[in-house]
Amino acid sequence: MSIFKRVLRAGEGKKVRALQDLVPDINALEAQIERLTDDELRAKTPEFRQRLANGIDLNDLLIESFAVTREASRRVIGQRHYDVQLMGGAALHFGWIAEMRTGEGKTLVSTLPVYLNGLTGKGVHVVTVNDYLAKRDAEWMGQIHRWMGLTMGIVTAEFSDSAVKRAAYGADVTYSTNSELGFDYLRDNMAMSLEERVQRKPYYAIVDEVDSILIDEARTPHIISGRVADAAKLYVQFAAISRSLVRGTDYEVDEEKKQVFPTESGVDKVEAALGVDNIYDDPAADFVHHLNAALRAKELYRRDVDYLVQSGEINIVDEFTGRVLEGRRWSEGLHQAVEAKERVKIKEENQTLATTTLQNYFRLYEKLAGMTGTAETEAGEFHATYGLSVVPIPTHRPMVRIDQADLIYKSELAKFEAAADDIAERHEKGQPVLVGTVSVEKSEHLSSLLQQRGIPHAVLNAKQHAREGEIVAQAGRLGSVTVATNMAGRGVDIILGGNPDGLARREVAEAGHEMALLDLDPGEEAVFAMLEADADLAARRRKVVDALAAAQAHYVADCAEEGKKVREYGGLYVLGTERHESRRIDNQLRGRSARQGDPGESRFYLSLDDELMRLFATGAMNWVMGRALPDDVPIEAKMVTKAIERAQNTVEGRNAEIRKNVLKYDEVMNEQRKVIYAKRDRVLTGGDLHDVLNQNVSTVLKQLVEQHCPSEANDDWNLEGLLADAQNTYPTQFTLEDLEQASSRSVLTDSFVSEATEFYEAKEERLTSEVMRDVERNISLSVIDQRWREHLADMDYLQEGIHLRAVGQKDPLVEWQRDGFAAFGNLIDSIDGDFVRYCMHAEVVVEQQAPEITGLEYVSAEEGTAPSRLAGLIGADAPVGVDKGDVRGDAKAPNDSRLVLSGAEDGDDEDDDEAPQQPIVKAEHEKLGRNEPCWCGTGKKFKNCHGK
């Protein structure tokens, strides 16, 4: 068995030992790799890639690639990986979580697996908690990867151009934040073309501060929302239009099935009122949907029976119990239509356009790994949710920090006064102090106390986000005091005595040098070419580089001397002013002290007013309150410390349950999301939708026949409703008298399918197959997006009240799954039906000069609105350069539309003795669709000419 198989099969307790076994093999290559010239070392990258192309397993390159990366790091940034860092890098490569204490160099560790997996060209994502760290790591560690010939990309919130993002995601290595990755994934699945998409298939991600991203932030799903443009206005407009329509003339009503069917005259009136030629031309505007909702609200939903108007709101009445259903709303725009009908305010809530959870997003990656200083407490959740194992990596040097017992005060005021006194004492001695607070408000309160005592200090909270690296880097200087809200994910080591590079940069910047020139990397071809071409620019950059080098030489000696004194004073002192609800956050704060074998000390100051103590540590509180002690006298007791730990365990358990619950409910949506996104992908990648349309035509028309003709007994048939629904699906020329001649349901279905197919084939012949495929693709995307947004809104409403099912002794999760499945089935049906309806009714404007139509014009909408994506399909508004008077195609009628009366039923053989029934052959002009050019040659539509 190979060493890699042994590593991958190692049990939890043997993983560290298996990783240690890899280190001697990597070290054995060091002397050989050191002898390579720069060009020979860089040539290893194409060599490795060629070996991968020849079929070698990626794992088999680990030993050599790690040795190469270590040597490249030493030459480029002057840092050589320790043995424990090699172990951490291997753990990340195998898809585990490397738990490494603060100060062990996790950022440098990541370069090992990033380079190895970057050789595949599939894209490695390094995920950080904020934009600052993404930029810093990309610039800092990116020097190694670029030097070795890998392409680099960075994606942060400031980049909005899709071409720039696509190039960044197309690189071998991409640095980004979890938020930007998640939102780009959602935006890609809202794109209207492949050119708008930016991401590739997720391959490998390394998550920095993995506990913060995959645990703490996993409680909140990623949601893209926006207001639908003019949604309320359209509902009000259609409510007014519906009042002018006459029942029996402009529309038919089936009260039993709660359906309405607009007639030809009704549709004509609506089009005239809207000022459009064809309400089916723009699926994104969805005029047909608004019309149906308005008519249903007018005829089928009655005030004080189906709903009540209370306090300016529409409240639904339960038809079984007669009780008001608080917080419930009708779906598919019906509730808004009723609000418009009753002239109450229409709730224009932000509509969810796309959503996912971090758990389900990161589970899309083929391989996932993470690194942090505190993961062991959440190891069970990591394994259960992501299948990730936590491997604790030994420290490079023994950890010698002294963790003092907590001090508990009765009041928060006394606690902060005591903490300020302790800080003053340490500061006077010269020991650097790092203070941790839980909020900006608390950090500013403590800052004011320190100001009163005349103690110089730096404050690091959300208001100083941009300066965090500079502030943290100098927190280890003699007598320095730094107040910080949360030390997770700062990504900067606190070096005792100060960071010479940071001090040097500050001095050079204060001297007026152009610091931006330092960011130019001559290793990049474009930068090298620019410096070669511009001698003045190259000279200015050299001046800044020389000034920085001189300053660094000065500060290196000063910081080293200062560091010796700090170590004599006890190293960095970490003071926590409150216990966090998660032990991991407390450990992250403590972990800033005693890095790489340095001395250090930590202590927490608590009070009974602290939120954690007040809410959870009640037993400890009662015990302390029972003791007659002044406010300024602290209590130090193991009982209280254990009570705090129990409280933290309680909160951690509660938060874990919240995350588990979020994931359970999103599992239903995730499966639905996969189906919808797969449908979109098939459309975007150029799948032929013609066969899909034909299949949908058969399915939709069969469902209509079954709905209106529930049995073979024709006395149960609702032919009027069937004809109205069929007319809404496609421009059928059949009359009620034609349908009455049918002998069976299968004859009705075959007749409708045959006529619809012939009608569409005639349209395709007139407009060319190329145009119709383009029409189908755009209509399909618009319909999918429109219905998916409505489905998300419906599911949001469902989830808000689903927990109330528990009152009826029902499991809310089971009910959510059952109702979600039913709603998704309706969604698919509505998508298929709308696809058929819009394809059949949509018109395309054809330029007279062009021999054939080669494409459509697309109009982008404002951000956050439902876009009008089919402007080129609207007959009333021609594309640029096309006059409305241009010829709109040939006036060809569909092939013989007829009612199939002679077909055998259910596969039975025809009776040979019986003469076949003659089909009803209509006059040529009677076969025209209402929106087709009239047969008389005027250029008007049939409905506006001889079809009146």
Side-chain angles (χ1 to χ4, degrees):
M1 186 185 297
S2 71
I3 186 172
F4 301 108
K5 289 185 178 178
R6 292 204 303 272
V7 171
L8 293 172
R9 293 186 181 184
E12 291 298 319
K14 298 180 180 178
K15 281 186 168 62
V16 174
R17 192 168 20 180
L19 294 174
Q20 286 172 334
D21 291 341
L22 299 175
V23 174
D25 295 332
I26 301 172
N27 289 337
L29 291 176
E30 187 167 18
Q32 175 186 336
I33 299 297
E34 281 180 342
R35 289 194 293 268
L36 298 176
T37 65
D38 286 354
D39 289 340
E40 289 172 336
L41 188 61
R42 283 194 286 259
K44 283 291 182 179
T45 298
E47 176 193 326
F48 290 150
R49 283 182 159 159
Q50 185 58 51
R51 288 160 65 181
L52 286 173
N54 293 339
I56 190 175
D57 188 84
L58 189 65
N59 290 330
D60 294 333
L61 289 178
L62 185 146
I63 300 295
E64 196 172 350
S65 72
F66 275 31
V68 165
T69 306
R70 176 159 67 177
E71 179 60 22
S73 174
R74 188 183 66 80
R75 296 186 189 187
V76 176
I77 64 173
Q79 296 187 16
R80 176 187 176 277
H81 297 79
Y82 300 130
D83 288 355
V84 292
Q85 290 176 316
L86 298 177
M87 294 171 58
L92 294 177
H93 169 70
F94 292 127
W96 300 335
I97 292 176
E99 185 183 62
M100 304 180 70
R101 288 186 178 274
T102 301
E104 290 296 307
K106 292 187 290 292
T107 306
L108 185 62
V109 167
S110 67
T111 59
L112 298 164
V114 165
Y115 174 73
L116 174 56
N117 289 270
L119 294 170
T120 64
K122 296 180 181 179
V124 177
H125 292 170
V126 182
V127 187
T128 63
V129 293
N130 56 46
D131 288 349
Y132 161 74
L133 287 178
K135 293 177 186 175
R136 188 209 66 175
D137 291 354
E139 293 169 2
W140 184 18
M141 296 299 136
Q143 298 176 71
I144 302 172
H145 303 309
R146 285 192 293 268
W147 193 82
M148 286 301 296
L150 297 187
T151 55
M152 293 288 303
I154 179 171
V155 177
T156 58
E158 67 187 70
F159 298 119
S160 58
D161 185 83
S162 59
V164 174
K165 280 192 171 183
R166 193 179 309 108
Y169 280 119
D172 296 323
V173 184
T174 306
Y175 285 83
S176 187
T177 63
N178 58 294
S179 296
E180 203 61 23
L181 287 170
F183 284 124
D184 279 342
Y185 164 72
L186 294 177
R187 283 188 282 259
D188 273 2
N189 285 288
M190 296 168 62
M192 290 301 291
S193 67
L194 287 175
E195 290 70 28
E196 295 177 29
R197 304 181 78 165
V198 296
Q199 288 187 344
R200 294 189 283 172
K201 182 181 179 182
Y203 167 59
Y204 177 45
I206 296 176
V207 183
D208 192 12
E209 301 297 343
V210 65
D211 53 336
S212 176
I213 292 176
L214 297 190
I215 297 295
D216 295 337
E217 297 189 28
R219 279 182 287 173
T220 306
H222 279 41
I223 298 174
I224 293 180
S225 63
R227 295 187 183 275
V228 180
D230 297 327
K233 179 181 176 182
L234 279 174
Y235 283 112
V236 172
Q237 188 175 7
F238 273 90
I241 292 173
S242 68
R243 294 186 191 103
S244 67
L245 301 181
V246 180
R247 178 172 177 170
T249 301
D250 299 322
Y251 59 90
E252 301 291 338
V253 180
D254 186 339
E255 295 192 25
E256 182 183 350
K257 294 184 172 63
K258 290 213 166 200
Q259 291 182 323
V260 291
F261 313 103
T263 62
E264 290 262 345
S265 64
V267 171
D268 287 342
K269 289 182 180 178
V270 172
E271 290 172 344
L274 294 173
V276 300
D277 279 353
N278 186 1
I279 62 175
Y280 293 93
D281 272 344
D282 192 353
D286 215 5
F287 294 138
V288 179
H289 174 69
H290 280 86
L291 174 60
N292 286 329
L295 291 177
R296 290 177 66 200
K298 175 186 177 183
E299 293 291 344
L300 302 174
Y301 290 85
R302 295 164 292 171
R303 182 171 180 168
D304 297 331
V305 177
D306 298 295
Y307 61 88
L308 302 177
V309 180
Q310 298 175 330
S311 303
E313 292 187 354
I314 301 297
N315 293 322
I316 302 174
V317 175
D318 190 324
E319 61 178 313
F320 300 108
T321 65
R323 294 191 178 97
V324 171
L325 299 175
E326 294 288 348
R328 296 286 294 277
R329 290 171 66 87
W330 287 304
S331 62
E332 298 180 351
L334 178 60
H335 207 96
Q336 291 89 334
V338 174
E339 288 171 332
K341 165 191 169 183
E342 295 293 345
R343 294 182 171 90
V344 302
K345 183 179 179 181
I346 297 175
K347 289 188 178 179
E348 275 198 287
E349 301 166 344
N350 278 345
Q351 186 178 20
T352 299
L353 306 179
T355 178
T356 189
T357 57
L358 279 176
Q359 293 104 318
N360 279 320
Y361 171 71
F362 279 106
R363 291 197 297 192
L364 294 173
Y365 284 87
E366 290 183 33
K367 186 164 64 171
L368 181 64
M371 49 189 182
T372 181
T374 48
E376 198 68 48
T377 57
E378 311 292 346
E381 186 172 349
F382 277 124
H383 190 271
T385 304
Y386 304 98
L388 291 172
S389 299
V390 176
V391 182
I393 305 297
T395 56
H396 178 55
R397 294 192 178 99
M399 202 274 291
V400 293
R401 186 183 65 240
I402 301 172
D403 295 328
Q404 303 285 5
D406 299 345
L407 295 180
I408 301 100
Y409 291 80
K410 280 193 174 182
S411 70
E412 186 176 64
L413 180 62
K415 175 188 72 174
F416 276 110
E417 289 289 344
D421 291 340
D422 190 6
I423 294 168
E425 182 181 341
R426 306 272 180 169
H427 171 70
E428 186 177 353
K429 185 174 70 171
Q431 184 176 14
V433 181
L434 174 65
V435 185
T437 61
V438 296
S439 67
V440 174
E441 178 188 3
K442 299 291 176 65
S443 68
E444 292 182 343
H445 173 62
L446 182 60
S447 176
S448 66
L449 293 179
L450 296 178
Q451 286 175 354
Q452 293 172 14
R453 288 166 168 76
I455 301 173
H457 60 282
V459 179
L460 176 57
N461 54 36
K463 296 181 179 180
Q464 289 81 27
H465 181 75
R467 295 182 54 236
E468 66 176 26
E470 178 186 345
I471 294 173
V472 173
Q474 309 307 330
R477 303 201 69 191
L478 272 174
S480 68
V481 177
T482 308
V483 181
T485 52
N486 191 336
M487 291 308 299
R490 298 301 180 189
V492 179
D493 288 336
I494 299 177
I495 302 174
L496 299 186
N499 187 316
D501 182 66
L503 295 171
R505 282 178 174 268
R506 185 167 61 189
E507 179 182 299
V508 172
E510 290 173 352
H513 288 282
E514 299 173 86
M515 299 302 291
L517 295 177
L518 285 173
D519 296 331
L520 298 178
D521 181 6
E524 294 187 60
E525 291 184 13
V527 175
F528 178 79
M530 181 174 64
L531 294 175
E532 282 283 299
D534 192 336
D536 177 61
L537 181 67
R540 282 159 44 208
R541 183 183 185 281
R542 173 49 55 190
K543 185 178 180 181
V544 180
V545 171
D546 291 342
L548 180 63
Q552 284 175 331
H554 168 71
Y555 280 111
V556 165
D558 285 357
C559 289
E561 185 63 30
E562 196 170 308
K564 291 180 182 178
K565 294 181 181 179
V566 171
R567 290 181 181 87
E568 292 174 3
Y569 297 147
L572 180 66
Y573 177 56
V574 170
L575 186 151
T577 59
E578 193 168 329
R579 284 282 193 174
H580 198 276
E581 61 182 27
S582 171
R583 289 170 293 170
R584 289 183 295 100
I585 307 300
D586 294 340
N587 292 337
Q588 286 168 359
L589 177 61
R590 274 184 163 143
R592 308 304 297 190
S593 177
R595 62 178 291 278
Q596 294 293 330
D598 287 336
E601 187 179 352
S602 71
R603 168 161 262 162
F604 278 86
Y605 281 74
L606 312 177
S607 78
L608 299 183
D609 295 332
D610 295 347
E611 186 174 2
L612 187 71
M613 297 282 288
R614 186 166 46 83
L615 295 179
F616 297 101
T618 53
M621 181 184 292
N622 293 333
W623 183 83
V624 173
M625 291 297 291
R627 301 177 66 85
L629 292 173
D631 286 354
D632 58 351
V633 176
I635 294 173
E636 187 176 334
K638 290 184 179 179
M639 173 186 172
V640 178
T641 302
K642 289 182 179 178
I644 294 169
E645 290 179 356
R646 285 195 299 270
Q648 288 178 314
N649 282 330
T650 300
V651 178
E652 287 171 2
R654 182 191 65 182
N655 291 340
E657 194 60 33
I658 292 173
R659 292 188 294 268
K660 185 178 178 182
N661 210 42
V662 168
L663 185 59
K664 279 181 180 178
Y665 279 90
D666 192 61
E667 287 290 354
V668 174
M669 294 305 301
N670 193 49
E671 293 304 313
Q672 298 179 3
R673 190 183 303 119
K674 288 178 181 177
V675 174
I676 292 298
Y677 287 175
K679 287 175 77 75
R680 290 188 101 261
D681 284 344
R682 284 195 294 271
V683 177
L684 286 177
T685 52
D688 191 342
L689 298 180
H690 187 59
D691 292 339
V692 175
L693 178 67
N694 286 336
Q695 182 180 348
N696 287 353
V697 166
S698 299
T699 302
V700 169
L701 292 174
K702 182 179 180 182
Q703 288 175 346
L704 289 183
V705 172
E706 291 175 348
Q707 177 184 339
H708 294 283
C709 306
S711 68
E712 288 295 344
N714 57 14
D715 53 346
D716 288 338
W717 293 0
N718 177 12
L719 295 180
E720 291 182 358
L722 174 59
L723 184 60
D725 251 353
Q727 180 67 45
N728 194 31
T729 303
Y730 76 99
T732 179
Q733 301 302 307
F734 291 132
T735 64
L736 187 60
E737 292 74 18
D738 294 332
L739 300 186
E740 289 173 347
Q741 300 178 48
S743 58
S744 67
R745 295 195 303 174
S746 62
V747 169
L748 286 172
T749 302
D750 292 343
S751 300
F752 281 129
V753 171
S754 177
E755 184 190 36
T757 303
E758 290 175 356
F759 170 81
Y760 199 73
E761 287 175 351
K763 176 186 274 192
E764 182 169 328
E765 182 180 346
R766 187 174 75 249
L767 298 173
T768 76
S769 297
E770 182 181 358
V771 169
M772 293 314 297
R773 297 299 84 78
D774 204 3
V775 169
E776 290 161 2
R777 280 192 295 272
N778 284 274
I779 286 178
S780 180
L781 287 175
S782 291
V783 166
I784 289 172
D785 290 348
Q786 183 79 14
R787 292 293 168 250
W788 176 241
R789 286 196 295 267
E790 292 175 0
H791 178 71
L792 289 176
D794 295 345
M795 296 299 285
D796 283 345
Y797 285 127
L798 177 62
Q799 189 171 359
E800 284 179 11
I802 200 71
H803 64 280
L804 298 175
R805 308 276 182 98
V807 178
Q809 303 301 309
K810 294 180 179 179
D811 185 343
L813 181 60
V814 174
E815 293 292 296
W816 164 260
Q817 292 169 337
R818 183 174 58 80
D819 288 6
F821 179 78
F824 189 68
N826 294 334
L827 167 68
I828 297 299
D829 288 344
S830 66
I831 288 175
D832 293 344
D834 285 357
F835 180 46
V836 172
R837 191 156 43 247
Y838 282 111
C839 284
M840 289 291 182
H841 287 88
E843 295 177 30
V844 179
V845 178
V846 184
E847 290 193 42
Q848 188 175 17
Q849 296 83 0
E852 61 179 24
I853 293 180
T854 57
L856 303 172
E857 176 192 22
Y858 304 101
V859 177
S860 60
E862 294 180 0
E863 184 176 348
T865 66
S868 178
R869 295 158 173 152
L870 293 171
L873 300 183
I874 301 177
D877 299 315
V880 177
V882 180
D883 294 329
K884 294 183 182 178
D886 288 346
V887 177
R888 288 168 168 79
D890 300 327
K892 291 183 181 178
N895 297 331
D896 294 334
S897 298
R898 64 194 67 183
L899 187 65
V900 182
L901 300 175
S902 57
E905 274 187 57
D906 301 326
D908 293 336
D909 294 330
E910 239 181 83
D911 188 348
D912 295 331
D913 296 331
E914 183 178 342
Q917 299 181 33
Q918 295 297 319
I920 300 173
V921 180
K922 298 178 180 294
E924 190 70 20
H925 65 271
E926 292 178 354
K927 293 186 254 180
L928 290 176
R930 57 192 299 274
N931 288 307
E932 294 188 48
C934 189
W935 55 268
C936 68
T938 60
K940 295 182 179 180
K941 293 183 180 181
F942 180 64
K943 67 179 183 181
N944 295 326
C945 191
H946 283 77
K948 288 184 178 180

